[in-house]
Amino acid sequence: MSKKPLVFVTGNANKLKEVRAILSLGTPIEIESKDLDIPEVQGSTQDVAREKCRRAAELVSGACITEDTALCFKALNGLPGPYIKYFLKELGHDGLNKLIVGFPTTDAWALCTFAYSPGPGAEPLLFEGRTDGRIVLPRGPKDFGWDPVFEAEETGKTYAEMSIEEKNGLSHRYRALEKLRAHLVSLDNN
């Protein structure tokens, strides 16, 4: 990979901060961000990530990464999934809990899909990470999406209750970025 910074297409400052922190571990990967208005297709997390990355590569005329995050409720067969941002906006943290009242499980998983494109016309590669957990009543600061209602498995804490380092060491985003990092490092070594 060239020494030109990789473009992360996001307008979310919290995501950018997490991505930079995770990708600075080991051999640092330089990231710059661009906030582009790219319509999201309807479909699976993978479809959304792939299409967003194709369009972003055209708009930046070069290599880029995009990210799509899903929060999937077992009781709802994986919904809200990639639509979690809209569910959270309309229902709030408490409303997310109300969606599964009466169901026998609060199990959920957080899924992150990073798409990488070396440039326009190239088929994006996908890198996924998953963290299992459950939906709980909101705990912790409410300043980063659905973090207050997702308790990561075997931690007893929501993402919002964790330190940045703790979350970045086990999150769905971390797991996807580790795979992306390995790919980018392999490009540098070729």
Side-chain angles (χ1 to χ4, degrees), residues 84-160:
I84 186 60
K85 178 170 96 175
Y86 306 106
F87 276 62
L88 180 59
K89 181 181 176 186
E90 295 300 320
L91 304 174
H93 294 110
D94 292 327
L96 293 178
N97 274 274
K98 289 177 184 173
L99 286 173
I100 53 176
V101 167
F103 283 94
T105 183
T106 61
D107 290 352
W109 63 95
L111 181 67
C112 180
T113 305
F114 270 90
Y116 165 76
S117 174
E123 182 65 18
L125 299 175
L126 302 182
F127 304 89
E128 288 191 329
R130 175 178 165 153
T131 300
D132 291 325
R134 65 189 187 106
I135 303 302
V136 298
L137 293 173
R139 299 192 317 252
K142 295 180 179 178
D143 59 348
F144 192 9
W146 42 263
D147 281 8
V149 299
F150 183 73
E151 182 182 284
E153 194 170 66
E154 299 181 11
T155 66
K157 293 181 182 179
T158 66
Y159 276 171

Coordinates of all heavy atoms in Angstrom, one line a residue, residues 84-160:
I84 N -30.1 -0.2 12.8 CA -30.1 0.2 14.2 C -30.0 1.7 14.4 O -30.7 2.2 15.3 CB -28.9 -0.5 15.0 CG1 -29.0 -0.2 16.5 CG2 -27.6 -0.2 14.5 CD1 -30.3 -0.7 17.2
K85 N -29.3 2.4 13.6 CA -29.2 3.8 13.7 C -30.6 4.5 13.6 O -30.9 5.4 14.4 CB -28.3 4.4 12.6 CG -28.1 5.9 12.6 CD -27.0 6.3 11.6 CE -27.6 6.7 10.3 NZ -26.5 7.2 9.4
Y86 N -31.4 4.0 12.8 CA -32.8 4.6 12.6 C -33.7 4.1 13.7 O -34.5 4.9 14.2 CB -33.3 4.2 11.2 CG -32.4 4.5 10.1 CD1 -31.6 3.5 9.5 CD2 -32.2 5.9 9.8 CE1 -30.7 3.9 8.5 CE2 -31.2 6.2 8.8 CZ -30.5 5.2 8.2 OH -29.6 5.6 7.2
F87 N -33.6 2.9 14.2 CA -34.4 2.4 15.3 C -34.0 3.3 16.6 O -34.9 3.7 17.3 CB -34.1 1.0 15.6 CG -34.9 0.0 14.8 CD1 -34.8 0.0 13.4 CD2 -35.8 -0.9 15.4 CE1 -35.6 -0.9 12.6 CE2 -36.6 -1.7 14.6 CZ -36.4 -1.8 13.2
L88 N -32.7 3.5 16.8 CA -32.3 4.2 18.0 C -32.8 5.7 17.9 O -33.3 6.2 18.9 CB -30.7 4.2 18.1 CG -30.1 5.0 19.3 CD1 -30.7 4.5 20.6 CD2 -28.6 4.9 19.2
K89 N -32.7 6.3 16.7 CA -33.1 7.7 16.5 C -34.6 7.8 16.8 O -35.1 8.7 17.5 CB -32.9 8.1 15.1 CG -33.3 9.5 14.8 CD -33.0 9.9 13.4 CE -33.5 11.3 13.1 NZ -33.4 11.7 11.7
E90 N -35.4 6.8 16.4 CA -36.9 6.9 16.6 C -37.4 6.4 17.9 O -38.3 7.0 18.5 CB -37.6 6.1 15.5 CG -37.4 6.6 14.1 CD -37.9 8.1 13.9 OE1 -39.0 8.4 14.4 OE2 -37.2 8.9 13.2
L91 N -36.7 5.4 18.5 CA -37.2 4.8 19.8 C -36.4 5.2 21.0 O -36.9 5.0 22.1 CB -37.2 3.3 19.6 CG -37.9 2.7 18.4 CD1 -37.7 1.2 18.3 CD2 -39.4 3.1 18.5
G92 N -35.1 5.6 20.8 CA -34.3 5.8 22.0 C -33.8 4.5 22.6 O -34.2 3.4 22.2
H93 N -32.9 4.7 23.6 CA -32.4 3.5 24.3 C -33.5 2.7 25.0 O -33.5 1.4 24.9 CB -31.3 3.9 25.3 CG -30.1 4.5 24.7 ND1 -29.8 5.9 24.8 CD2 -29.1 4.0 24.0 CE1 -28.7 6.1 24.2 NE2 -28.3 5.0 23.7
D94 N -34.4 3.3 25.6 CA -35.5 2.6 26.3 C -36.4 1.9 25.3 O -36.8 0.7 25.6 CB -36.3 3.5 27.2 CG -35.6 4.1 28.4 OD1 -34.7 3.3 28.9 OD2 -35.8 5.2 28.7
G95 N -36.6 2.5 24.2 CA -37.4 1.8 23.1 C -36.8 0.6 22.6 O -37.5 -0.4 22.2
L96 N -35.5 0.6 22.5 CA -34.8 -0.7 22.0 C -35.1 -1.8 23.0 O -35.3 -3.0 22.5 CB -33.3 -0.4 21.9 CG -32.8 0.5 20.8 CD1 -31.3 0.7 20.9 CD2 -33.3 0.1 19.4
N97 N -35.1 -1.5 24.3 CA -35.5 -2.6 25.3 C -36.9 -3.0 25.1 O -37.2 -4.2 25.2 CB -35.2 -2.1 26.7 CG -33.8 -2.3 27.1 OD1 -33.5 -3.3 27.6 ND2 -33.0 -1.3 26.9
K98 N -37.8 -2.1 24.8 CA -39.2 -2.4 24.7 C -39.5 -3.3 23.5 O -40.5 -4.1 23.5 CB -40.0 -1.2 24.6 CG -40.1 -0.4 25.9 CD -40.9 0.9 25.8 CE -40.8 1.7 27.1 NZ -41.4 3.0 27.0
L99 N -38.6 -3.3 22.5 CA -38.8 -4.1 21.3 C -38.8 -5.6 21.7 O -39.4 -6.4 21.0 CB -37.7 -3.9 20.3 CG -37.7 -2.6 19.5 CD1 -36.5 -2.5 18.7 CD2 -39.0 -2.6 18.6
I100 N -38.1 -6.0 22.7 CA -38.0 -7.4 23.0 C -38.7 -7.8 24.3 O -38.5 -9.0 24.8 CB -36.5 -7.9 23.1 CG1 -35.6 -7.0 24.0 CG2 -35.9 -7.9 21.6 CD1 -34.2 -7.5 24.1
V101 N -39.5 -7.0 24.9 CA -40.3 -7.3 26.1 C -41.2 -8.5 25.7 O -41.8 -8.5 24.6 CB -41.1 -6.1 26.6 CG1 -42.1 -6.5 27.6 CG2 -40.2 -5.1 27.2
G102 N -41.2 -9.5 26.5 CA -42.1 -10.6 26.3 C -41.4 -11.8 25.5 O -41.9 -12.9 25.4
F103 N -40.2 -11.5 25.0 CA -39.5 -12.6 24.3 C -38.6 -13.3 25.3 O -38.3 -12.8 26.3 CB -38.5 -12.0 23.2 CG -39.3 -11.6 21.9 CD1 -39.7 -10.3 21.8 CD2 -39.5 -12.5 20.9 CE1 -40.4 -9.9 20.6 CE2 -40.2 -12.1 19.8 CZ -40.6 -10.8 19.6
P104 N -38.3 -14.6 25.0 CA -37.6 -15.4 26.0 C -36.1 -15.1 26.1 O -35.4 -15.7 26.9 CB -37.8 -16.8 25.5 CG -38.1 -16.7 24.0 CD -38.8 -15.4 23.9
T105 N -35.6 -14.2 25.2 CA -34.2 -14.0 25.3 C -33.9 -12.5 25.0 O -34.6 -11.8 24.3 CB -33.4 -14.8 24.2 OG1 -32.0 -14.6 24.3 CG2 -33.9 -14.5 22.8
T106 N -32.8 -12.0 25.6 CA -32.3 -10.7 25.3 C -30.9 -10.8 24.6 O -30.3 -9.8 24.5 CB -32.1 -9.8 26.6 OG1 -31.2 -10.5 27.5 CG2 -33.5 -9.6 27.3
D107 N -30.6 -12.0 24.2 CA -29.3 -12.2 23.5 C -29.2 -11.3 22.3 O -30.3 -11.1 21.6 CB -29.1 -13.6 23.1 CG -28.9 -14.5 24.3 OD1 -28.7 -14.0 25.5 OD2 -28.9 -15.8 24.1
A108 N -28.0 -10.8 22.0 CA -27.8 -10.0 20.8 C -26.4 -10.1 20.4 O -25.5 -10.7 21.1 CB -28.1 -8.5 21.2
W109 N -26.1 -9.6 19.2 CA -24.7 -9.5 18.8 C -24.5 -8.2 18.1 O -25.4 -7.7 17.4 CB -24.3 -10.7 18.0 CG -25.0 -10.9 16.7 CD1 -24.6 -10.5 15.4 CD2 -26.2 -11.6 16.4 NE1 -25.5 -10.9 14.5 CE2 -26.5 -11.5 15.0 CE3 -27.1 -12.3 17.3 CZ2 -27.6 -12.1 14.5 CZ3 -28.3 -12.8 16.7 CH2 -28.5 -12.7 15.3
A110 N -23.3 -7.7 18.2 CA -22.8 -6.5 17.5 C -22.0 -7.0 16.4 O -21.1 -7.8 16.5 CB -22.0 -5.6 18.5
L111 N -22.3 -6.5 15.2 CA -21.6 -6.9 14.0 C -21.0 -5.6 13.3 O -21.8 -4.7 13.1 CB -22.5 -7.6 13.1 CG -22.0 -8.1 11.7 CD1 -21.0 -9.2 12.0 CD2 -23.1 -8.6 10.9
C112 N -19.8 -5.7 13.0 CA -19.1 -4.6 12.3 C -18.5 -5.1 11.0 O -17.9 -6.1 10.9 CB -18.0 -4.0 13.1 SG -17.2 -2.6 12.3
T113 N -18.8 -4.4 9.9 CA -18.3 -4.8 8.6 C -17.5 -3.6 8.0 O -18.1 -2.6 7.8 CB -19.4 -5.2 7.6 OG1 -20.2 -6.3 8.2 CG2 -18.8 -5.7 6.3
F114 N -16.2 -3.8 7.8 CA -15.4 -2.8 7.1 C -15.3 -3.3 5.7 O -15.0 -4.4 5.5 CB -14.0 -2.6 7.8 CG -14.0 -1.6 8.8 CD1 -14.2 -2.0 10.2 CD2 -13.7 -0.3 8.6 CE1 -14.3 -1.0 11.2 CE2 -13.7 0.7 9.6 CZ -14.0 0.3 10.9
A115 N -15.4 -2.3 4.8 CA -15.2 -2.6 3.4 C -14.0 -1.8 2.9 O -13.8 -0.6 3.3 CB -16.4 -2.2 2.5
Y116 N -13.1 -2.4 2.2 CA -11.9 -1.8 1.7 C -11.9 -1.9 0.2 O -12.1 -2.9 -0.4 CB -10.6 -2.5 2.2 CG -9.3 -2.1 1.5 CD1 -8.7 -0.9 1.7 CD2 -8.8 -3.0 0.5 CE1 -7.6 -0.5 1.0 CE2 -7.7 -2.6 -0.2 CZ -7.1 -1.4 0.0 OH -6.0 -1.0 -0.7
S117 N -11.6 -0.7 -0.4 CA -11.4 -0.7 -1.9 C -10.1 0.0 -2.2 O -9.8 1.1 -1.7 CB -12.5 0.1 -2.5 OG -12.3 0.3 -3.9
P118 N -9.3 -0.6 -3.1 CA -8.0 0.0 -3.5 C -8.3 1.2 -4.4 O -7.4 2.0 -4.7 CB -7.3 -1.1 -4.2 CG -8.3 -2.1 -4.6 CD -9.4 -2.0 -3.6
G119 N -9.5 1.3 -5.0 CA -9.8 2.4 -5.8 C -11.0 2.2 -6.7 O -11.6 1.1 -6.6
P120 N -11.4 3.2 -7.5 CA -12.6 3.0 -8.3 C -12.6 1.8 -9.2 O -11.5 1.5 -9.7 CB -12.6 4.3 -9.1 CG -11.8 5.3 -8.4 CD -10.8 4.5 -7.6
G121 N -13.7 1.1 -9.3 CA -13.8 0.0 -10.2 C -13.4 -1.3 -9.6 O -13.7 -2.4 -10.1
A122 N -12.8 -1.3 -8.4 CA -12.3 -2.5 -7.7 C -13.5 -3.1 -6.9 O -14.2 -2.3 -6.2 CB -11.1 -2.3 -6.9
E123 N -13.6 -4.4 -6.8 CA -14.6 -5.0 -5.9 C -14.1 -4.8 -4.5 O -13.0 -5.3 -4.1 CB -14.7 -6.5 -6.3 CG -15.8 -7.2 -5.4 CD -17.2 -6.7 -5.6 OE1 -17.5 -6.0 -6.6 OE2 -18.0 -7.0 -4.8
P124 N -14.9 -4.2 -3.6 CA -14.5 -4.1 -2.2 C -14.3 -5.4 -1.5 O -15.1 -6.4 -1.8 CB -15.7 -3.3 -1.6 CG -16.3 -2.6 -2.7 CD -16.2 -3.6 -3.9
L125 N -13.4 -5.5 -0.6 CA -13.2 -6.6 0.3 C -13.8 -6.3 1.6 O -13.7 -5.2 2.1 CB -11.7 -6.9 0.5 CG -10.9 -7.2 -0.8 CD1 -9.4 -7.3 -0.5 CD2 -11.4 -8.5 -1.5
L126 N -14.4 -7.4 2.2 CA -15.1 -7.2 3.5 C -14.4 -7.8 4.6 O -13.8 -8.9 4.5 CB -16.5 -7.8 3.4 CG -17.5 -7.2 2.3 CD1 -18.8 -7.8 2.4 CD2 -17.5 -5.7 2.4
F127 N -14.4 -7.2 5.8 CA -13.7 -7.7 7.0 C -14.7 -7.5 8.1 O -15.1 -6.4 8.5 CB -12.5 -6.9 7.3 CG -11.5 -6.9 6.1 CD1 -11.6 -5.9 5.1 CD2 -10.6 -7.9 6.0 CE1 -10.7 -6.0 4.0 CE2 -9.7 -7.9 4.9 CZ -9.8 -7.0 3.9
E128 N -15.2 -8.6 8.7 CA -16.2 -8.6 9.7 C -15.7 -8.9 11.1 O -14.8 -9.8 11.3 CB -17.4 -9.5 9.4 CG -18.2 -9.0 8.2 CD -19.5 -9.8 8.0 OE1 -19.5 -11.0 8.3 OE2 -20.4 -9.2 7.5
G129 N -16.3 -8.3 12.1 CA -16.1 -8.7 13.5 C -17.4 -8.7 14.2 O -18.3 -8.0 13.9
R130 N -17.5 -9.7 15.2 CA -18.7 -9.9 15.9 C -18.4 -10.0 17.4 O -17.4 -10.7 17.8 CB -19.4 -11.2 15.4 CG -20.6 -11.5 16.2 CD -21.3 -12.8 15.6 NE -22.2 -13.3 16.6 CZ -23.3 -14.1 16.2 NH1 -23.5 -14.3 14.9 NH2 -24.1 -14.5 17.1
T131 N -19.2 -9.4 18.2 CA -19.2 -9.6 19.7 C -20.6 -10.0 20.1 O -21.5 -9.3 19.8 CB -18.7 -8.3 20.4 OG1 -17.4 -7.9 19.9 CG2 -18.7 -8.4 21.9
D132 N -20.6 -11.1 20.8 CA -21.9 -11.5 21.4 C -22.2 -10.8 22.7 O -21.2 -10.4 23.4 CB -21.9 -13.0 21.6 CG -21.9 -13.8 20.2 OD1 -22.5 -13.3 19.3 OD2 -21.2 -14.8 20.2
G133 N -23.4 -10.7 23.1 CA -23.8 -10.1 24.3 C -25.3 -10.2 24.5 O -26.0 -11.1 24.1
R134 N -25.8 -9.1 25.2 CA -27.3 -9.1 25.4 C -27.7 -7.6 25.5 O -26.9 -6.7 25.8 CB -27.7 -9.9 26.6 CG -27.1 -9.3 27.9 CD -27.4 -10.3 29.1 NE -27.0 -9.7 30.3 CZ -27.8 -9.3 31.3 NH1 -29.1 -9.4 31.1 NH2 -27.4 -8.7 32.4
I135 N -29.0 -7.4 25.3 CA -29.6 -6.1 25.5 C -30.0 -5.9 26.9 O -30.7 -6.8 27.5 CB -30.8 -5.9 24.5 CG1 -30.4 -6.2 23.1 CG2 -31.5 -4.6 24.7 CD1 -29.3 -5.3 22.6
V136 N -29.6 -4.8 27.5 CA -29.9 -4.4 28.9 C -30.5 -3.0 29.0 O -30.4 -2.3 28.0 CB -28.6 -4.5 29.8 CG1 -28.1 -6.0 29.8 CG2 -27.6 -3.5 29.3
L137 N -31.0 -2.7 30.2 CA -31.5 -1.3 30.4 C -30.2 -0.4 30.3 O -29.1 -0.8 30.6 CB -32.1 -1.2 31.8 CG -33.4 -1.9 31.9 CD1 -33.9 -1.9 33.4 CD2 -34.5 -1.4 31.0
P138 N -30.4 0.8 29.8 CA -29.2 1.7 29.5 C -28.4 1.9 30.8 O -28.9 2.2 31.9 CB -29.9 3.0 29.1 CG -31.2 2.7 28.7 CD -31.6 1.4 29.4
R139 N -27.1 1.7 30.6 CA -26.1 2.0 31.7 C -24.9 2.7 31.1 O -24.4 2.3 30.0 CB -25.6 0.7 32.4 CG -26.8 -0.1 33.0 CD -26.3 -1.3 33.9 NE -25.2 -2.0 33.4 CZ -25.2 -3.3 32.9 NH1 -26.4 -3.9 32.9 NH2 -24.2 -3.9 32.5
G140 N -24.4 3.7 31.8 CA -23.2 4.4 31.3 C -23.6 5.6 30.5 O -24.8 5.9 30.2
P141 N -22.6 6.4 30.0 CA -22.9 7.6 29.2 C -23.6 7.2 27.9 O -23.4 6.2 27.3 CB -21.4 8.1 28.9 CG -20.6 7.5 29.9 CD -21.2 6.2 30.3
K142 N -24.5 8.2 27.5 CA -25.4 7.9 26.4 C -24.9 8.8 25.2 O -25.7 9.2 24.3 CB -26.8 8.3 26.7 CG -27.4 7.4 27.8 CD -28.8 7.8 28.1 CE -29.4 6.8 29.2 NZ -30.7 7.1 29.6
D143 N -23.6 8.9 25.0 CA -23.1 9.8 24.0 C -22.5 9.1 22.7 O -22.0 9.7 21.8 CB -22.0 10.7 24.5 CG -20.8 9.9 25.1 OD1 -20.9 8.7 25.3 OD2 -19.8 10.6 25.4
F144 N -22.6 7.7 22.7 CA -22.1 7.0 21.5 C -23.1 5.9 21.1 O -23.0 4.7 21.6 CB -20.7 6.5 21.8 CG -20.0 5.9 20.5 CD1 -20.5 6.1 19.2 CD2 -18.8 5.3 20.6 CE1 -19.9 5.7 18.1 CE2 -18.1 4.8 19.5 CZ -18.7 5.0 18.3
G145 N -24.1 6.3 20.3 CA -25.0 5.3 19.8 C -25.7 4.4 20.8 O -26.1 4.8 21.9
W146 N -25.7 3.1 20.5 CA -26.4 2.1 21.4 C -25.5 1.5 22.4 O -25.9 0.5 23.1 CB -27.0 1.1 20.5 CG -26.2 0.6 19.3 CD1 -26.3 1.0 18.1 CD2 -25.2 -0.4 19.4 NE1 -25.3 0.4 17.3 CE2 -24.6 -0.5 18.1 CE3 -24.6 -1.2 20.4 CZ2 -23.6 -1.4 17.8 CZ3 -23.6 -2.1 20.1 CH2 -23.1 -2.2 18.8
D147 N -24.3 2.0 22.6 CA -23.4 1.5 23.6 C -24.0 1.2 25.0 O -23.7 0.2 25.6 CB -22.1 2.3 23.7 CG -21.1 2.1 22.6 OD1 -21.4 1.4 21.6 OD2 -20.0 2.7 22.7
P148 N -24.9 2.1 25.5 CA -25.4 1.9 26.8 C -26.3 0.7 27.0 O -26.6 0.3 28.1 CB -26.2 3.2 27.1 CG -25.7 4.2 26.1 CD -25.3 3.4 24.9
V149 N -26.8 0.1 25.9 CA -27.8 -1.0 26.0 C -27.2 -2.3 25.6 O -27.8 -3.4 25.7 CB -29.1 -0.8 25.2 CG1 -29.8 0.5 25.8 CG2 -28.9 -0.7 23.7
F150 N -25.9 -2.3 25.2 CA -25.3 -3.6 24.8 C -24.2 -4.0 25.8 O -23.2 -3.3 25.9 CB -24.6 -3.5 23.4 CG -24.0 -4.8 22.9 CD1 -24.8 -5.8 22.5 CD2 -22.7 -4.9 22.9 CE1 -24.3 -7.0 22.1 CE2 -22.1 -6.1 22.5 CZ -22.9 -7.2 22.1
E151 N -24.5 -5.1 26.5 CA -23.6 -5.7 27.4 C -22.8 -6.8 26.7 O -23.4 -7.8 26.3 CB -24.3 -6.2 28.6 CG -23.4 -6.8 29.7 CD -24.2 -7.3 30.9 OE1 -24.7 -6.5 31.7 OE2 -24.3 -8.6 31.0
A152 N -21.5 -6.6 26.6 CA -20.7 -7.6 25.9 C -20.6 -8.9 26.8 O -20.5 -8.8 28.0 CB -19.3 -7.1 25.7
E153 N -20.7 -10.0 26.2 CA -20.7 -11.3 26.8 C -19.5 -11.5 27.8 O -18.4 -11.1 27.5 CB -20.6 -12.4 25.8 CG -20.9 -13.8 26.3 CD -21.1 -14.8 25.1 OE1 -20.0 -15.0 24.4 OE2 -22.2 -15.2 24.9
E154 N -19.8 -12.0 29.0 CA -18.8 -12.3 30.0 C -18.1 -11.1 30.6 O -17.0 -11.3 31.2 CB -17.8 -13.4 29.5 CG -18.5 -14.7 29.1 CD -17.5 -15.7 28.7 OE1 -16.3 -15.5 28.8 OE2 -18.0 -16.7 28.1
T155 N -18.6 -9.9 30.4 CA -17.9 -8.7 31.0 C -18.7 -8.1 32.1 O -18.2 -7.4 33.0 CB -17.7 -7.6 29.9 OG1 -19.0 -7.1 29.5 CG2 -16.9 -8.1 28.7
G156 N -20.1 -8.3 32.0 CA -20.9 -7.6 33.0 C -21.0 -6.1 32.8 O -21.6 -5.4 33.6
K157 N -20.5 -5.6 31.7 CA -20.5 -4.2 31.4 C -21.1 -3.9 30.0 O -20.9 -4.7 29.1 CB -19.1 -3.6 31.4 CG -18.4 -3.6 32.7 CD -17.0 -3.0 32.6 CE -16.2 -3.0 33.9 NZ -14.9 -2.4 33.6
T158 N -21.7 -2.8 29.9 CA -22.1 -2.3 28.6 C -20.9 -1.6 28.0 O -19.9 -1.3 28.7 CB -23.2 -1.2 28.7 OG1 -22.8 -0.1 29.3 CG2 -24.5 -1.8 29.3
Y159 N -20.9 -1.5 26.7 CA -19.8 -0.8 26.0 C -19.6 0.6 26.6 O -18.5 1.1 26.8 CB -20.1 -0.6 24.5 CG -19.7 -1.8 23.6 CD1 -20.2 -1.8 22.3 CD2 -19.0 -2.8 24.0 CE1 -19.9 -2.8 21.4 CE2 -18.7 -3.9 23.2 CZ -19.1 -3.8 21.9 OH -18.8 -4.9 21.0
A160 N -20.7 1.3 27.0 CA -20.7 2.6 27.5 C -20.0 2.7 28.9 O -19.4 3.7 29.3 CB -22.1 3.2 27.6

